[in-house]
Structure formats: structure tokens, C-alpha cells
Amino acid sequence: PIAWRNADFVVCLGGDGTILWVSGLYNGPCPPIVSFAMGSLGFLTPFDFSEYQSVLSSVVTNSMEIGVRTRLRCMVHTERK
């Protein structure tokens, strides 16, 4: 197995698109993603990078709650004329 598939959690630096890309690497359950915003606006990135030391410390010591999100996979079918 590939090592990153057995990760306890994933640290993501970027924006919402980066988080979606990382979650897409996992075909099935995805480990918790700790995401740090690197831009000005993000709906899925709750932490600012300047807080990374305290946030990661909280994650490693299990003193942080996990927010569960649902991912959907879909296919678009079109009719050809």
C-alpha cells in the first residue's frame, strides 16, 4: 500500500480547491484534513497558517474536535443527437 493512504491525518496548505483535490486522492474514507488558508477567503479552510503550531499541537494531543463532511461522487450523462 502507498504510505499516504495509511495517514492518521493530512495537513493541507492552500484553499478550498486544494482540500477537494486531496480528498479526491482517497477512493473511499478520507483521513481528517487539517487545512490552513493560504489566501484571503476559504469556506473549507478554518485555520490561518499563522496558527499552525498551536493547531497541529492540538491535533497531535487529541484536543480538537473533528468535523465530518460528506463527499459525493457523480457522473454526468448527456444524450448525443
Coordinates of all heavy atoms in Angstrom, one line a residue:
P1 N 0.8 -1.2 0.0 CA 0.0 0.0 0.0 C 0.9 1.3 0.0 O 2.0 1.3 0.5 CB -0.8 -0.1 1.3 CG -0.3 -1.3 2.0 CD 0.6 -2.0 1.2
I2 N 0.3 2.3 -0.6 CA 1.0 3.6 -0.6 C 0.9 4.2 0.8 O -0.1 4.2 1.4 CB 0.4 4.5 -1.7 CG1 0.5 3.8 -3.1 CG2 1.0 5.9 -1.7 CD1 -0.3 4.5 -4.2
A3 N 2.0 4.8 1.3 CA 2.1 5.3 2.6 C 1.1 6.3 2.9 O 0.5 6.3 4.0 CB 3.5 5.8 2.9
W4 N 0.8 7.3 2.0 CA -0.2 8.3 2.4 C -1.6 7.8 2.5 O -2.4 8.5 3.1 CB -0.1 9.5 1.4 CG -0.3 9.1 -0.1 CD1 0.7 8.8 -1.0 CD2 -1.5 9.0 -0.8 NE1 0.2 8.5 -2.2 CE2 -1.2 8.6 -2.1 CE3 -2.8 9.1 -0.4 CZ2 -2.2 8.4 -3.1 CZ3 -3.8 8.9 -1.4 CH2 -3.5 8.6 -2.7
R5 N -1.9 6.6 2.0 CA -3.2 6.1 2.2 C -3.4 5.6 3.6 O -4.6 5.4 4.0 CB -3.4 4.9 1.2 CG -3.5 5.4 -0.2 CD -4.0 4.3 -1.1 NE -3.8 4.7 -2.5 CZ -4.8 5.2 -3.2 NH1 -6.0 5.4 -2.7 NH2 -4.7 5.6 -4.5
N6 N -2.4 5.4 4.4 CA -2.5 5.0 5.8 C -2.3 6.1 6.8 O -2.0 5.9 7.9 CB -1.4 3.9 6.0 CG -1.7 2.7 5.2 OD1 -2.8 2.3 4.9 ND2 -0.6 2.1 4.7
A7 N -2.4 7.4 6.3 CA -2.2 8.5 7.2 C -3.2 8.7 8.3 O -4.4 8.4 8.1 CB -2.2 9.8 6.3
D8 N -2.8 9.1 9.4 CA -3.7 9.4 10.5 C -4.5 10.7 10.3 O -5.6 10.9 10.7 CB -3.0 9.5 11.9 CG -2.4 8.2 12.3 OD1 -3.0 7.2 12.0 OD2 -1.3 8.2 12.9
F9 N -3.8 11.7 9.7 CA -4.4 12.9 9.2 C -3.6 13.5 8.1 O -2.4 13.2 7.9 CB -4.7 13.9 10.4 CG -3.4 14.4 11.1 CD1 -2.8 15.6 10.6 CD2 -2.8 13.7 12.1 CE1 -1.7 16.1 11.2 CE2 -1.7 14.2 12.7 CZ -1.1 15.4 12.3
V10 N -4.2 14.5 7.4 CA -3.5 15.2 6.3 C -3.4 16.7 6.6 O -4.4 17.2 7.0 CB -4.2 14.9 5.0 CG1 -3.6 15.7 3.9 CG2 -4.3 13.5 4.7
V11 N -2.3 17.3 6.4 CA -2.1 18.7 6.6 C -2.2 19.3 5.2 O -1.5 18.9 4.3 CB -0.8 19.1 7.2 CG1 -0.6 20.6 7.3 CG2 -0.7 18.5 8.6
C12 N -3.1 20.2 5.0 CA -3.3 20.8 3.7 C -3.0 22.3 3.7 O -3.6 23.0 4.6 CB -4.8 20.5 3.3 SG -5.2 21.1 1.6
L13 N -2.2 22.8 2.9 CA -1.8 24.2 2.8 C -2.4 24.7 1.4 O -2.0 24.3 0.4 CB -0.3 24.4 2.8 CG 0.4 23.8 4.0 CD1 1.9 24.1 3.8 CD2 -0.1 24.4 5.3
G14 N -3.3 25.6 1.5 CA -3.9 26.1 0.3 C -5.3 26.7 0.5 O -5.6 27.2 1.5
G15 N -6.2 26.4 -0.5 CA -7.5 26.9 -0.4 C -8.5 25.7 -0.5 O -8.1 24.5 -0.4
D16 N -9.7 26.0 -0.8 CA -10.8 25.0 -0.9 C -10.5 24.0 -2.0 O -10.7 22.8 -1.8 CB -12.1 25.7 -1.2 CG -12.6 26.5 0.0 OD1 -12.0 26.4 1.1 OD2 -13.6 27.2 -0.1
G17 N -10.0 24.5 -3.1 CA -9.6 23.6 -4.2 C -8.6 22.6 -3.9 O -8.7 21.4 -4.3
T18 N -7.6 23.0 -3.1 CA -6.6 22.0 -2.6 C -7.2 21.0 -1.7 O -6.8 19.8 -1.8 CB -5.5 22.8 -1.9 OG1 -5.0 23.9 -2.7 CG2 -4.3 21.9 -1.5
I19 N -8.1 21.4 -0.8 CA -8.8 20.4 0.0 C -9.6 19.4 -0.8 O -9.5 18.2 -0.6 CB -9.7 21.1 1.1 CG1 -8.9 21.9 2.0 CG2 -10.5 20.1 1.8 CD1 -9.7 22.8 2.9
L20 N -10.3 19.9 -1.8 CA -11.1 19.0 -2.6 C -10.2 18.0 -3.4 O -10.5 16.9 -3.6 CB -12.0 19.8 -3.6 CG -13.1 20.6 -2.9 CD1 -13.8 21.5 -3.9 CD2 -14.0 19.7 -2.1
W21 N -9.0 18.5 -3.9 CA -8.1 17.7 -4.6 C -7.5 16.6 -3.7 O -7.5 15.4 -4.1 CB -6.9 18.6 -5.2 CG -5.9 17.8 -5.9 CD1 -6.0 17.3 -7.1 CD2 -4.6 17.3 -5.3 NE1 -4.8 16.6 -7.4 CE2 -4.0 16.6 -6.4 CE3 -4.0 17.5 -4.1 CZ2 -2.7 16.0 -6.2 CZ3 -2.8 17.0 -4.0 CH2 -2.1 16.2 -5.0
V22 N -7.1 17.0 -2.5 CA -6.6 16.0 -1.5 C -7.7 14.9 -1.2 O -7.4 13.7 -1.2 CB -6.1 16.7 -0.2 CG1 -5.8 15.7 0.9 CG2 -4.9 17.5 -0.5
S23 N -8.9 15.3 -0.9 CA -9.9 14.4 -0.6 C -10.2 13.4 -1.8 O -10.5 12.3 -1.6 CB -11.2 15.0 -0.1 OG -11.9 15.7 -1.2
G24 N -10.0 13.9 -3.0 CA -10.2 13.1 -4.2 C -9.1 12.0 -4.4 O -9.3 11.1 -5.1
L25 N -8.0 12.2 -3.6 CA -7.0 11.1 -3.7 C -7.4 9.8 -3.0 O -6.8 8.8 -3.2 CB -5.7 11.6 -3.0 CG -5.0 12.8 -3.7 CD1 -3.8 13.3 -2.8 CD2 -4.5 12.4 -5.1
Y26 N -8.4 10.0 -2.2 CA -8.9 8.8 -1.4 C -10.1 8.3 -2.0 O -11.2 9.0 -2.0 CB -9.1 9.2 0.1 CG -7.8 9.6 0.8 CD1 -7.3 10.9 0.7 CD2 -7.1 8.6 1.4 CE1 -6.1 11.2 1.4 CE2 -5.9 8.9 2.1 CZ -5.4 10.2 2.0 OH -4.2 10.5 2.6
N27 N -10.1 7.1 -2.5 CA -11.3 6.4 -3.1 C -12.0 5.7 -1.9 O -11.7 4.5 -1.7 CB -10.8 5.5 -4.2 CG -12.0 5.0 -5.0 OD1 -13.1 5.5 -4.9 ND2 -11.8 4.0 -5.8
G28 N -12.8 6.4 -1.2 CA -13.4 5.9 0.0 C -13.2 6.8 1.1 O -13.0 8.0 1.0
P29 N -13.1 6.2 2.4 CA -12.9 7.1 3.5 C -11.6 7.9 3.4 O -10.6 7.4 3.0 CB -12.8 6.1 4.7 CG -13.5 4.9 4.2 CD -13.3 4.8 2.7
C30 N -11.7 9.1 3.9 CA -10.5 10.0 3.8 C -10.1 10.3 5.3 O -11.0 10.6 6.1 CB -10.9 11.3 3.1 SG -9.7 12.5 2.9
P31 N -8.8 10.4 5.6 CA -8.5 10.7 6.9 C -8.8 12.2 7.2 O -9.1 13.0 6.2 CB -7.0 10.5 7.0 CG -6.5 10.6 5.6 CD -7.7 10.1 4.8
P32 N -8.9 12.6 8.5 CA -9.1 14.0 8.7 C -8.1 14.9 8.0 O -6.9 14.6 8.0 CB -9.0 14.1 10.3 CG -9.2 12.7 10.7 CD -8.7 11.8 9.7
I33 N -8.6 16.0 7.5 CA -7.8 17.0 6.8 C -7.7 18.3 7.7 O -8.7 18.9 8.0 CB -8.3 17.4 5.4 CG1 -8.4 16.1 4.5 CG2 -7.5 18.5 4.8 CD1 -9.0 16.4 3.2
V34 N -6.5 18.6 8.1 CA -6.2 19.8 8.8 C -5.8 20.9 7.8 O -4.7 20.8 7.2 CB -5.1 19.7 9.9 CG1 -4.9 20.9 10.7 CG2 -5.5 18.5 10.8
S35 N -6.7 21.9 7.6 CA -6.4 22.8 6.5 C -6.1 24.2 6.9 O -6.8 24.7 7.8 CB -7.7 22.8 5.5 OG -8.8 23.1 6.3
F36 N -5.1 24.7 6.3 CA -4.7 26.1 6.6 C -4.9 27.0 5.4 O -4.4 26.6 4.3 CB -3.2 26.1 7.0 CG -2.9 25.4 8.3 CD1 -2.5 24.1 8.3 CD2 -3.1 26.0 9.5 CE1 -2.3 23.4 9.5 CE2 -2.8 25.4 10.7 CZ -2.4 24.0 10.7
A37 N -5.6 28.1 5.6 CA -5.8 29.0 4.5 C -4.5 29.7 4.1 O -3.9 30.3 4.9 CB -6.9 30.0 4.9
M38 N -4.3 29.8 2.8 CA -3.1 30.5 2.3 C -3.5 31.7 1.5 O -2.7 32.5 1.1 CB -2.2 29.6 1.5 CG -1.7 28.4 2.2 SD -0.7 28.8 3.6 CE 0.8 29.2 2.8
G39 N -4.8 31.9 1.4 CA -5.3 33.0 0.6 C -6.2 33.9 1.5 O -6.1 33.9 2.7
S40 N -7.1 34.6 0.9 CA -7.9 35.6 1.6 C -9.3 35.1 2.1 O -9.9 35.5 3.0 CB -8.1 36.9 0.8 OG -8.7 36.5 -0.4
L41 N -9.8 34.1 1.3 CA -11.1 33.6 1.6 C -11.1 32.1 1.4 O -10.6 31.5 0.4 CB -12.1 34.2 0.7 CG -13.6 33.7 0.8 CD1 -14.1 34.1 2.2 CD2 -14.4 34.4 -0.3
G42 N -11.8 31.3 2.3 CA -11.9 29.9 2.2 C -13.1 29.4 3.0 O -13.2 29.8 4.2
F43 N -13.9 28.6 2.4 CA -15.1 28.1 3.2 C -14.7 26.8 3.9 O -15.4 26.5 4.9 CB -16.3 27.9 2.2 CG -16.8 29.1 1.6 CD1 -16.4 29.5 0.3 CD2 -17.6 30.0 2.3 CE1 -16.9 30.7 -0.2 CE2 -18.1 31.2 1.8 CZ -17.7 31.5 0.5
L44 N -13.7 26.1 3.4 CA -13.3 24.8 4.0 C -12.0 24.9 4.8 O -11.6 23.9 5.3 CB -13.2 23.8 2.9 CG -14.4 23.5 2.0 CD1 -14.1 22.6 0.8 CD2 -15.6 23.0 2.8
T45 N -11.4 26.1 4.8 CA -10.1 26.2 5.5 C -10.3 27.0 6.8 O -10.3 28.2 6.7 CB -9.1 26.9 4.6 OG1 -9.7 28.1 4.1 CG2 -8.7 26.0 3.4
P46 N -10.5 26.4 7.9 CA -10.8 27.1 9.1 C -9.7 27.7 9.8 O -9.9 28.6 10.7 CB -11.4 26.0 10.0 CG -10.8 24.7 9.6 CD -10.6 24.9 8.1
F47 N -8.4 27.4 9.5 CA -7.3 27.9 10.2 C -6.4 28.7 9.4 O -6.2 28.5 8.2 CB -6.4 26.7 10.8 CG -7.2 25.8 11.6 CD1 -7.5 24.5 11.2 CD2 -7.8 26.1 12.8 CE1 -8.2 23.6 11.9 CE2 -8.5 25.3 13.6 CZ -8.7 24.0 13.1
D48 N -5.9 29.8 9.9 CA -4.9 30.6 9.3 C -3.5 30.0 9.5 O -3.2 29.5 10.6 CB -4.9 32.1 9.8 CG -4.1 33.0 9.0 OD1 -4.5 33.5 8.0 OD2 -2.9 33.3 9.5
F49 N -2.7 30.1 8.5 CA -1.4 29.5 8.6 C -0.5 30.0 9.8 O 0.3 29.3 10.4 CB -0.6 29.7 7.3 CG 0.7 28.9 7.3 CD1 0.8 27.6 7.3 CD2 1.9 29.6 7.4 CE1 2.0 26.9 7.3 CE2 3.1 29.0 7.4 CZ 3.2 27.6 7.4
S50 N -0.8 31.2 10.2 CA 0.0 31.8 11.3 C -0.3 31.0 12.6 O 0.5 31.1 13.6 CB -0.3 33.3 11.5 OG -1.7 33.4 11.9
E51 N -1.4 30.2 12.7 CA -1.7 29.4 13.9 C -1.3 28.0 13.8 O -1.7 27.2 14.6 CB -3.3 29.5 14.0 CG -3.9 30.8 14.1 CD -5.4 30.8 14.0 OE1 -5.9 29.8 13.5 OE2 -6.0 31.7 14.5
Y52 N -0.4 27.6 12.8 CA -0.1 26.2 12.6 C 0.4 25.5 13.8 O 0.1 24.3 14.0 CB 0.8 26.1 11.3 CG 2.2 26.3 11.6 CD1 3.1 25.2 11.9 CD2 2.8 27.6 11.5 CE1 4.4 25.4 12.1 CE2 4.1 27.8 11.7 CZ 4.9 26.7 12.0 OH 6.3 26.9 12.3
Q53 N 1.3 26.1 14.6 CA 1.9 25.4 15.7 C 0.9 25.0 16.7 O 0.9 23.9 17.2 CB 3.0 26.3 16.3 CG 4.2 26.4 15.4 CD 5.3 27.3 16.0 OE1 5.0 28.3 16.7 NE2 6.6 26.9 15.8
S54 N 0.0 25.9 17.1 CA -1.0 25.6 18.1 C -2.0 24.6 17.6 O -2.5 23.7 18.3 CB -1.7 26.8 18.7 OG -2.4 27.5 17.7
V55 N -2.4 24.8 16.3 CA -3.4 23.9 15.7 C -2.8 22.4 15.6 O -3.5 21.5 16.1 CB -3.8 24.4 14.3 CG1 -4.7 23.3 13.6 CG2 -4.6 25.7 14.5
L56 N -1.6 22.3 15.1 CA -1.1 20.9 15.0 C -0.8 20.3 16.4 O -0.9 19.1 16.5 CB 0.2 21.0 14.1 CG 0.0 21.3 12.7 CD1 1.3 21.3 11.9 CD2 -1.0 20.3 12.0
S57 N -0.4 21.1 17.3 CA -0.3 20.6 18.7 C -1.6 20.1 19.2 O -1.6 19.0 19.8 CB 0.3 21.7 19.6 OG 0.4 21.3 20.9
S58 N -2.7 20.8 19.0 CA -4.0 20.3 19.4 C -4.4 19.0 18.7 O -5.0 18.1 19.3 CB -5.1 21.4 19.1 OG -4.8 22.5 19.9
V59 N -4.1 18.9 17.4 CA -4.4 17.7 16.7 C -3.6 16.5 17.2 O -4.2 15.4 17.5 CB -4.1 17.9 15.2 CG1 -4.2 16.6 14.4 CG2 -5.0 18.9 14.5
V60 N -2.3 16.7 17.5 CA -1.5 15.6 17.9 C -1.8 15.1 19.3 O -1.7 13.9 19.7 CB 0.0 16.0 17.8 CG1 0.9 15.0 18.5 CG2 0.4 16.2 16.4
T61 N -2.3 16.0 20.2 CA -2.7 15.7 21.5 C -4.1 15.3 21.7 O -4.6 15.2 22.8 CB -2.3 16.8 22.5 OG1 -3.1 18.0 22.1 CG2 -0.8 17.1 22.5
N62 N -4.8 15.2 20.6 CA -6.3 14.8 20.6 C -7.1 15.8 21.3 O -8.1 15.4 21.9 CB -6.4 13.4 21.1 CG -5.9 12.3 20.2 OD1 -5.9 12.4 19.0 ND2 -5.2 11.3 20.8
S63 N -6.8 17.0 21.3 CA -7.7 18.0 22.0 C -8.4 18.9 21.0 O -8.7 20.1 21.3 CB -6.8 18.8 23.0 OG -5.8 19.5 22.3
M64 N -8.8 18.3 19.9 CA -9.5 19.1 18.8 C -10.6 18.2 18.3 O -10.5 17.0 18.2 CB -8.6 19.4 17.7 CG -9.3 20.2 16.6 SD -8.1 20.8 15.3 CE -7.3 22.1 16.2
E65 N -11.8 18.8 18.1 CA -12.9 18.1 17.6 C -12.8 17.9 16.1 O -12.2 18.8 15.4 CB -14.2 18.8 17.9 CG -14.6 18.8 19.3 CD -15.9 19.4 19.6 OE1 -16.8 19.4 18.7 OE2 -16.1 19.9 20.7
I66 N -13.3 16.8 15.5 CA -13.3 16.6 14.1 C -14.7 16.9 13.5 O -15.7 16.4 14.1 CB -12.9 15.1 13.8 CG1 -11.5 14.8 14.3 CG2 -13.1 14.8 12.3 CD1 -11.1 13.4 14.1
G67 N -14.7 17.7 12.5 CA -16.0 17.9 11.8 C -16.1 17.0 10.6 O -15.2 17.0 9.7
V68 N -17.1 16.2 10.5 CA -17.3 15.2 9.5 C -18.1 15.9 8.3 O -19.1 16.5 8.5 CB -18.0 14.0 10.0 CG1 -18.2 13.0 8.9 CG2 -17.2 13.3 11.1
R69 N -17.5 15.7 7.1 CA -18.2 16.2 5.9 C -18.5 15.0 5.0 O -17.7 14.1 4.9 CB -17.4 17.2 5.2 CG -17.1 18.4 6.1 CD -16.2 19.4 5.4 NE -15.9 20.5 6.4 CZ -16.2 21.7 6.3 NH1 -16.8 22.1 5.2 NH2 -15.8 22.6 7.2
T70 N -19.5 15.1 4.2 CA -19.9 14.1 3.3 C -19.4 14.5 1.9 O -19.5 15.6 1.5 CB -21.4 13.9 3.2 OG1 -21.9 13.6 4.6 CG2 -21.8 12.8 2.3
R71 N -18.8 13.5 1.2 CA -18.4 13.7 -0.2 C -19.3 12.9 -1.1 O -19.7 11.8 -0.7 CB -17.0 13.2 -0.3 CG -16.0 14.0 0.5 CD -14.5 13.5 0.3 NE -14.4 12.0 0.6 CZ -13.6 11.2 0.1 NH1 -12.7 11.6 -0.8 NH2 -13.6 9.9 0.4
L72 N -19.6 13.4 -2.2 CA -20.5 12.8 -3.2 C -19.7 12.6 -4.4 O -18.9 13.4 -4.8 CB -21.7 13.6 -3.5 CG -22.7 13.8 -2.3 CD1 -23.8 14.7 -2.8 CD2 -23.2 12.5 -1.8
R73 N -19.9 11.5 -5.1 CA -19.3 11.2 -6.4 C -20.4 11.1 -7.4 O -21.4 10.5 -7.2 CB -18.5 10.0 -6.4 CG -17.9 9.6 -7.8 CD -17.0 8.5 -7.7 NE -15.9 8.9 -6.9 CZ -14.7 8.3 -6.8 NH1 -14.5 7.2 -7.5 NH2 -13.7 8.7 -6.1
C74 N -20.3 11.8 -8.5 CA -21.4 11.8 -9.5 C -20.8 11.7 -10.9 O -19.6 12.0 -11.1 CB -22.3 13.0 -9.4 SG -21.5 14.5 -9.8
M75 N -21.6 11.3 -11.8 CA -21.3 11.2 -13.2 C -22.4 12.0 -14.0 O -23.6 11.8 -13.7 CB -21.2 9.8 -13.7 CG -20.0 9.1 -13.1 SD -19.9 7.4 -13.7 CE -19.5 7.6 -15.4
V76 N -22.0 12.7 -15.0 CA -23.0 13.4 -15.8 C -23.1 12.7 -17.2 O -22.1 12.4 -17.8 CB -22.5 14.9 -16.1 CG1 -23.5 15.6 -17.0 CG2 -22.4 15.6 -14.8
H77 N -24.3 12.3 -17.5 CA -24.6 11.6 -18.8 C -25.4 12.6 -19.6 O -26.3 13.2 -19.2 CB -25.4 10.3 -18.5 CG -24.7 9.3 -17.7 ND1 -23.8 8.4 -18.2 CD2 -24.7 9.1 -16.3 CE1 -23.4 7.6 -17.2 NE2 -23.9 8.0 -16.1
T78 N -24.9 12.7 -20.9 CA -25.7 13.5 -21.8 C -26.1 12.7 -23.0 O -25.5 11.7 -23.4 CB -24.8 14.7 -22.3 OG1 -23.6 14.1 -22.9 CG2 -24.3 15.5 -21.1
E79 N -27.2 13.1 -23.6 CA -27.7 12.4 -24.8 C -27.0 13.0 -26.0 O -26.8 14.2 -26.2 CB -29.2 12.6 -25.0 CG -30.0 11.8 -24.0 CD -31.5 12.0 -24.3 OE1 -31.8 12.1 -25.5 OE2 -32.2 11.9 -23.4
R80 N -26.5 12.2 -26.9 CA -25.9 12.6 -28.2 C -27.0 12.6 -29.2 O -27.8 11.7 -29.4 CB -24.8 11.7 -28.6 CG -23.6 11.8 -27.6 CD -22.5 11.0 -28.1 NE -21.4 11.1 -27.2 CZ -20.2 10.8 -27.4 NH1 -19.9 10.3 -28.6 NH2 -19.2 10.9 -26.5
K81 N -27.1 13.7 -30.0 CA -28.1 13.8 -31.1 C -27.4 13.6 -32.4 O -26.3 13.9 -32.7 CB -28.8 15.1 -31.0 CG -29.6 15.2 -29.7 CD -30.4 16.5 -29.7 CE -31.2 16.5 -28.5 NZ -32.0 17.7 -28.4

